[in-house]
Amino acid sequence: MIVAAILGIALLQARAQSTPTANESLWQLHDDFVSSTDRADQIRILSEISKMKPQSSRDLDDLFDLFARYPQSETRAAAVASINRIGPDDYAFAPLLRDYLSQPDPKTQFFAILAELRLRDPKALPLIEQLAGQKFALKSAGNTPFSGQRDAWWTQYEALDALAAWKGESAFKLVKKQALAAPDVARILAARFWPKALPLFTDWANSDRRNRRNAAHQGLSADVPVANLRPTRAAMLKLVLDSGEPADVRHFLAIKVGLCSDDAQVADLIQRRQKTADAQTKLYLLGAIFASRSPKAVPLLENDLKTNPDPAARRGALIELKEIASPADFRTLALWTAQNDADASLRDFAQEQVSASSATAAAAAPAVESSSQTAPNQAAKPSASTQ
């Protein structure tokens, strides 16, 4: 018995240390992950799983097991990446996914909705519509300490998002109705219907009803594809410049204006900021300029870094500069801050940035030296990057 136990442990350890291969099926990789006790090995297995498409009902069941049993973000991301490889031709999964949708467990339904968005089984659509159309038990998932209630809330949210992606404009009315019941749902309106939702959000933001103002806040602050923002840039900028609009409308729309601005439009924003006398409008335009991540913003950020009386704003300017300034220029500005800023914590932060940039430069130096010794007639090695 003892010998058998030792052999069993040795087998599990060997399996945990093995690297997944392309010959392993998805369900085998699932079993490898479950039996492994080494986190690095598990990460390698999850990487393999994320690249594989489920081929059988067992594969799908095992993906659900990973999704439901392991709440860690890496595990769920791998399971979702795998089911995202399902397409409309994989109709063999339809009965199993409809069975998942019919289960009372919210996590099971949630997983099925993700897969159905790829499969688009017409027979599953009524089940998703039923989930999406239910009355929200809570205004927000954060309003309860119970995980089961949170799971149910997020499953209904996911059903609404899937419906918006699946049915398009015909789902707008329901999503709008549910956003007034659960303000976070307005994020779906923003992500899926931005041009149509923008006037709605600005109307709600000026309402005397709290639920409408909350929904407007969620919608205006939501991430929106830049391609969806561009057609509304002029309308958004007009609202940013309107001193009669609520502060959060002007703030969030200024960021979105910046995100969808090209270089010429950033130059126009800079000119507008120089000409305006209103301090608040100047501030919103500055936010738009910074959000653009355009090199044209560097002089303004440098001025903010050196003259803004607020240490948090100066730190923010330094962080922004790291994103858009050249490495040499950023190092110069970080060094100036480390030596001259009045705030001790910001000086320390700036010195950390200087040290990090020095370490990066030192690490890159051998590669530069090595490349200079390449034979003159040696062809450059092709990049291994994928599309």
Side-chain angles (χ1 to χ4, degrees):
M1 291 289 290
I2 296 176
V3 173
I6 293 173
L7 289 174
I9 292 171
L11 178 61
L12 288 176
Q13 290 175 336
R15 195 176 189 185
Q17 293 168 0
S18 65
T19 301
T21 68
N23 295 324
E24 286 189 284
S25 67
L26 204 152
W27 67 263
Q28 287 173 317
L29 289 170
H30 164 273
D31 290 353
D32 287 342
F33 177 86
V34 172
S35 62
S36 176
T37 57
D38 181 79
R39 189 56 184 163
D41 188 53
Q42 288 181 329
I43 294 296
R44 288 194 297 271
I45 296 170
L46 291 175
S47 177
E48 289 295 317
I49 288 173
S50 69
K51 300 171 187 174
M52 296 185 69
K53 176 181 174 180
Q55 301 295 329
S56 66
S57 295
R58 177 171 179 178
D59 285 347
L60 205 59
D61 279 335
D62 283 340
L63 287 174
F64 172 66
D65 180 65
L66 291 175
F67 182 88
R69 204 195 326 178
Y70 302 95
Q72 294 85 356
S73 58
E74 302 96 333
T75 310
R76 287 192 167 177
V80 171
S82 181
I83 63 172
N84 279 345
R85 297 179 182 276
I86 294 173
D89 294 334
D90 297 306
Y91 203 74
F93 292 130
L96 178 59
L97 289 174
R98 289 199 299 270
D99 181 61
Y100 278 1
L101 280 171
S102 301
Q103 299 300 314
D105 177 38
K107 283 197 293 290
T108 311
Q109 296 169 341
F110 188 101
F111 180 86
I113 291 168
L114 295 178
E116 285 291 1
L117 195 52
R118 312 297 299 180
L119 184 63
R120 302 292 178 101
D121 171 17
K123 295 181 180 178
L125 187 57
L127 297 172
I128 295 175
E129 288 176 322
Q130 183 179 0
L131 284 169
Q134 293 174 353
K135 182 178 179 180
F136 271 96
L138 302 164
K139 285 186 177 294
S140 170
N143 288 354
T144 176
F146 301 109
S147 60
Q149 291 178 340
R150 289 196 299 271
D151 289 343
W153 194 98
W154 281 114
T155 296
Q156 187 171 354
Y157 181 98
E158 193 65 27
L160 282 162
D161 188 50
L163 206 60
W166 196 327
K167 296 185 66 177
E169 291 291 330
S170 62
F172 181 85
K173 185 176 180 180
L174 175 61
V175 179
K176 172 186 171 183
K177 174 187 174 183
Q178 295 290 47
L180 293 175
D184 288 356
V185 173
R187 291 181 171 274
I188 299 173
L189 284 176
R192 302 290 185 184
F193 309 106
W194 177 256
K196 189 173 181 178
L198 175 58
L200 190 65
F201 294 153
T202 55
D203 179 60
W204 286 352
N206 287 282
S207 173
D208 57 358
R209 298 182 183 180
R210 180 180 295 180
N211 66 322
R212 295 195 173 201
R213 295 196 304 273
N214 289 344
H217 180 90
Q218 292 297 326
L220 291 167
S221 63
D223 291 335
V224 178
V226 172
N228 294 352
L229 293 174
R230 288 194 180 106
T232 65
R233 185 183 181 279
M236 292 191 296
L237 181 56
K238 184 178 179 180
L239 291 163
V240 171
L241 299 174
D242 186 349
S243 60
E245 289 294 329
D248 60 343
V249 172
R250 301 178 76 191
H251 168 69
F252 290 126
L253 292 185
I255 293 171
K256 287 176 167 54
V257 165
L259 289 172
C260 65
S261 293
D262 58 27
D263 278 349
Q265 290 167 333
V266 172
D268 175 69
L269 292 173
I270 292 173
Q271 289 181 354
R272 286 177 182 271
R273 181 177 178 273
Q274 290 171 343
K275 292 177 181 179
T276 187
D278 181 69
Q280 282 299 112
T281 301
K282 276 183 176 290
L283 187 62
Y284 294 129
L285 288 172
L286 187 64
I289 295 164
F290 290 171
S292 72
R293 295 292 192 273
S294 168
K296 293 182 182 297
V298 170
L300 294 176
L301 283 166
E302 182 177 350
N303 181 69
D304 214 36
L305 175 67
K306 294 182 177 181
T307 65
N308 196 305
D310 182 2
R314 298 198 300 274
R315 177 186 287 258
L318 186 62
I319 293 170
E320 295 276 358
L321 283 163
K322 187 175 183 179
E323 295 292 325
I324 62 177
S326 69
D329 288 345
F330 172 74
R331 188 179 188 282
T332 298
L333 290 166
L335 186 59
W336 182 93
T337 306
Q339 295 173 345
N340 297 284
D341 198 273
D343 184 79
S345 64
L346 183 51
R347 291 198 303 271
D348 291 342
F349 175 74
Q351 186 58 55
E352 290 173 6
Q353 301 303 309
V354 173
S355 300
S357 64
S358 299
T360 301
V368 174
E369 181 180 352
S370 175
S371 64
S372 67
Q373 297 173 358
T374 303
N377 296 325
Q378 182 179 343
K381 186 177 181 180
S383 170
S385 62
T386 56
Q387 289 183 349

